[in-house]
Amino acid sequence: MEVILRPTREAAEALAARLIAEQVRAKPDSVLGLATGGTMERVYAELVRLHVEEELDFSLVRTFNLDEYVGLPGDHVCSYRYYMDQHLFRGINIDSRNTHLPNGVAEDLAAECRAYEEAITRCGGIDLQLLGIGKSGHIGFNEPLSALRSRTREKALSPVTMAQNAGYFSQYGPMPQRGLTMGVGTILDARDILLLVTGEAKADVLARAVEGPVTSMISASALQLHAHCRVIVDEAAATQLSEQEYYRWIFDHEPEWEPYR
Ligand code: PGA
């Protein structure tokens, strides 16, 4: 892992957007793995700005999102399809046929999950996967005890995740208790990974994911097994990391990573 400490949330978000833009410029038909959540809203706003003001071209890009709620159709305001359309897809020149999320209202959810894995494979695999982390330590909806080799599947949401996301459903409830999610193994197959973590509410779980042991209790800790995982954090999220000085030092000494072409 390479931990990249930025002074502010805005700087961390801007860096994440810049690295995604670099990937798209290096390989215009990139396959991007995308995430939802509050953390990503301004990253997507910045990508929309780069599209409008700097002609960042998404016409050939393909995307696969991490997860979706079971039981929510794509036009439900709390669905992740709706989130992606609002925050990113309708603001850029992406072909909607190239945007993929698991279908949470599929008749046969197990078949939907298998088809999702096959679609990723048919596209040649994910070049760059963007991730946030939940307070449960999840990436996607890979809640505690998710197998480190798991693939896309239906998953019950943990009480921590139910509490974390309940606010979004206050006027639109009830909140689904299950999701479809890429597995930890699916995520680890991406060629490059960007984990973006901001705010002091994530400081404890971030330290456990980055500096703690690899454990299925914190599925983000599995990213320690990945060969190209960059962890972009702001100072507020970094407060519980014991090796902050080292991360600052190594950032100035490591060579820059090239986007996958
Ligand atoms: P957040 O969610 O960005 O809304 O904090 C991240 C997650 O739960 O993975």
Side-chain angles (χ1 to χ4, degrees), residues 36-40 132-135 138-140 161 164-165 168 202:
T36 51
T39 310
M40 301 305 160
I133 187 172
K135 290 181 185 162
H138 73 197
I139 44 178
T161 296
Q164 184 185 324
N165 290 2
Y168 293 107
K202 299 286 178 62

Side-chain angles (χ1 to χ4, degrees), residues 39 132-135 164 197-207 236-237:
T39 310
I133 187 172
K135 290 181 185 162
Q164 184 185 324
V197 187
T198 55
E200 62 181 46
K202 299 286 178 62
D204 178 57
V205 78
L206 173 72

Side-chain angles (χ1 to χ4, degrees), residues 9 12-14 16 35-45 83 130-134 164 168 195-199 202 232 234:
R9 189 193 74 197
E13 293 161 350
T36 51
T39 310
M40 301 305 160
E41 288 178 12
R42 286 162 303 268
V43 175
Y44 295 146
Y83 171 108
L130 178 64
L131 296 173
I133 187 172
Q164 184 185 324
Y168 293 107
L195 172 64
L196 173 63
V197 187
T198 55
K202 299 286 178 62
I232 302 173
D234 65 358

Side-chain angles (χ1 to χ4, degrees), residues 14-36:
L15 177 60
R18 182 166 72 74
L19 294 176
I20 296 166
E22 275 177 17
Q23 173 66 46
V24 171
R25 288 199 181 99
K27 185 182 177 214
D29 62 346
S30 285
V31 181
L32 301 179
L34 297 178
T36 51

Side-chain angles (χ1 to χ4, degrees), residues 105-167:
V105 292
E107 222 163 86
D108 182 342
L109 293 174
E112 169 66 16
C113 292
R114 281 194 302 277
Y116 203 67
E117 288 277 337
E118 284 160 18
I120 294 172
T121 304
R122 261 200 316 280
C123 283
I126 290 169
D127 294 311
L128 177 63
Q129 175 70 56
L130 178 64
L131 296 173
I133 187 172
K135 290 181 185 162
S136 69
H138 73 197
I139 44 178
F141 276 143
N142 291 288
E143 301 294 358
L145 290 181
S146 287
L148 301 186
R149 291 179 188 245
S150 51
R151 311 302 303 187
T152 303
R153 69 209 184 291
E154 187 178 357
K155 195 77 191 139
L157 306 186
S158 68
V160 172
T161 296
M162 292 293 293
Q164 184 185 324
N165 290 2

